Amino acid sequence: MANETGGISRRALLGSGGLAALGTALVGCAPVDRVAPDPVAEEPRPVSPTGEHQAGIARPAAAQPHMLLGVYDLDGDSAAVLAALGDSILSLTSGEHPVLAGIAPGDLTVTVGVGPRLVQQARAGGVGTEPLPAYPREEIDERHRGGDLVIQVCASDPLVPPLALAGVIDGVTALSERWRQRGARGPSVAVRGGHSAPRNVLGFVDGIAAPVSEEELAQSVWIGDGPLASASILVVRRMEIDLAAFRRLSIDAQERVVGRERASSAPLSGGSIGDDVDLQAKSPEGAYVIPVDAHVRRAHPRPAGVPLMLRRSYSMDEPLGLLFVSYQAELRTFTQTMERMSESDALLDFTRTTATGAFLALPGFDAQHPLGSTIFGRA
């Protein structure tokens, strides 16, 4: 028996014929089986934490497989807390923070957003001061609605997000946690123009329609001017899904609920995964090919009169469901879409939302311009 370095194991030496095997190996009369070492996984490319926009929104283009998201209340100096968080992010992503204990940060990104109460204190009545309204199919207590601060941590290495989140908030006594949630994404499917999206726990590709180009991102995701320029509105919703009930449907019925083919992700109106859905397509009998209550119809931005939102959602296993995360330049992009979905979206019949909040994802920062300083001033 050969060990992983190609030598003879102690068990083989002590067993029947062990000495003979040793002698054969020493004189080279017979080859010794060698176990090939496991291939070393390629290290993910680092993502710079600095720039015009925070990392973890539009970059990396394909979201990392693992996310940990935490929501907090803040009792203290907002500018000082945000500046401290930014310093920790710089230290973590450079691999210098001691909490990583020699673990490479890889493609770690940390994205910070502030809630309406804090934005109202800094800029009364402006963008980011509006909380999310309540919607049907919600079971949300006070602790899980809103909050002062959200921290989204993403990485390819599943060990990195919990360590990085601990490093970000370590010693920041002004923060008290409301809730946190882990999520994961499977392999992504190519959609169009370099955009890709993963399947969710329902088995359907999630996040197909998305802004891709710089022009689309500028129109849909980034706040355009003023002190909030380069910021974005972050919406998070923790949605539990009755997967057992959904799986009891036939594949055909599941596809009518979603409005896409499950295997190919092509719209029921025809084409391929990257093609826009044809909401006017009808069968020879005059019925809409995409049902009136199908998710892709109710969530489509055109009837809602809003731009595309950038979704970076993750599937959950505890509880089973979806951690919905979207970025948009205006909150109405989400609220008007949600109003249409709440009227008649067959997919929502299988969900209940247990946590939610809207936050202002802060503009980008660097060592000379602290996180949040354009809005809250310098600490």
Side-chain angles (χ1 to χ4, degrees):
M1 171 183 271
N3 63 19
E4 293 186 355
T5 60
I8 305 300
S9 72
R10 183 172 182 269
R11 179 177 297 177
L13 286 174
L14 296 177
S16 174
L19 291 176
L22 176 61
T24 301
L26 289 175
V27 298
C29 295
V32 178
D33 291 338
R34 294 181 180 271
V35 178
D38 292 333
V40 177
E42 184 178 348
E43 190 72 24
R45 297 181 63 180
V47 181
S48 172
T50 61
E52 183 181 1
H53 311 288
Q54 285 195 77
I57 304 176
R59 55 188 173 91
Q64 305 93 316
H66 301 281
M67 173 196 275
L68 177 58
L69 183 142
V71 177
Y72 304 85
D73 284 331
L74 191 156
D75 183 15
D77 184 337
S78 300
V81 169
L82 292 172
L85 297 182
D87 289 343
S88 294
I89 293 169
L90 295 176
S91 178
L92 285 160
T93 53
S94 68
E96 298 173 356
H97 199 292
V99 75
L100 291 179
I103 297 174
D107 54 2
L108 166 68
T109 59
V110 183
T111 312
V112 178
V114 293
R117 184 181 75 87
L118 297 187
V119 181
Q120 179 73 20
Q121 291 177 354
R123 302 187 57 80
V127 176
T129 61
E130 184 181 357
L132 277 179
Y135 294 102
R137 303 175 183 85
E138 291 183 343
E139 297 180 19
I140 306 174
D141 57 28
E142 183 178 355
R143 178 183 176 188
H144 292 86
R145 186 181 295 278
D148 289 335
L149 198 77
V150 63
I151 304 176
Q152 169 195 288
V153 186
C154 302
S156 289
D157 185 342
L159 293 176
V160 169
L163 293 174
L165 183 58
V168 170
I169 64 175
D170 185 35
V172 185
T173 58
L175 294 180
S176 56
E177 185 171 298
R178 281 177 170 248
W179 60 277
R180 65 170 58 193
Q181 182 63 52
R182 293 196 69 157
R185 293 164 64 106
S188 290
V189 175
V191 178
R192 68 176 178 93
H195 171 57
S196 60
R199 293 186 183 273
N200 58 28
V201 294
L202 297 174
F204 286 81
V205 176
D206 187 20
I208 291 173
V212 176
S213 68
E214 291 297 326
E215 293 75 18
E216 290 172 333
L217 290 168
Q219 178 188 17
S220 301
V221 177
W222 309 125
I223 297 173
D225 51 24
L228 304 185
S230 303
S232 186
I233 300 297
L234 186 165
V235 171
V236 58
R237 289 172 72 78
R238 185 176 66 191
M239 303 169 63
E240 298 185 20
I241 297 177
D242 188 348
L243 183 58
F246 187 80
R247 286 174 59 85
R248 284 196 290 269
L249 300 177
S250 67
I251 300 299
D252 181 65
Q254 292 178 16
E255 293 176 340
R256 291 198 303 271
V257 166
V258 175
R260 290 183 178 274
E261 297 177 0
R262 196 172 82 169
S264 68
S265 298
L268 295 186
S269 55
S272 61
I273 182 173
D275 295 328
D276 193 9
V277 298
D278 182 355
L279 299 179
Q280 304 306 317
K282 291 186 177 182
S283 68
E285 294 74 29
Y288 282 113
V289 176
I290 296 177
V292 294
D293 61 352
H295 176 66
V296 298
R297 179 183 293 276
R298 305 309 301 182
H300 198 284
R302 190 164 55 242
V306 296
L308 287 166
M309 63 180 72
L310 177 62
R311 286 175 285 166
R312 293 179 74 90
S313 302
Y314 282 70
S315 292
M316 309 179 302
D317 57 358
E318 293 183 6
L320 187 64
L322 185 72
L323 184 62
F324 173 91
V325 178
S326 69
Y327 291 90
Q328 45 271 302
E330 299 178 281
L331 185 61
R332 75 178 186 91
T333 299
F334 175 81
T335 56
Q336 290 185 206
T337 302
M338 194 64 198
E339 286 168 8
R340 278 185 48 81
M341 292 171 59
S342 297
E343 291 170 0
S344 176
D345 187 328
L347 186 58
L348 293 187
D349 292 340
F350 300 91
T351 71
R352 68 185 185 109
T353 299
T354 59
T356 190
F359 303 87
L360 178 69
L362 295 167
F365 72 104
D366 56 32
Q368 289 73 43
H369 305 87
L371 179 67
S373 59
T374 59
I375 303 168
F376 295 92
R378 301 178 74 93

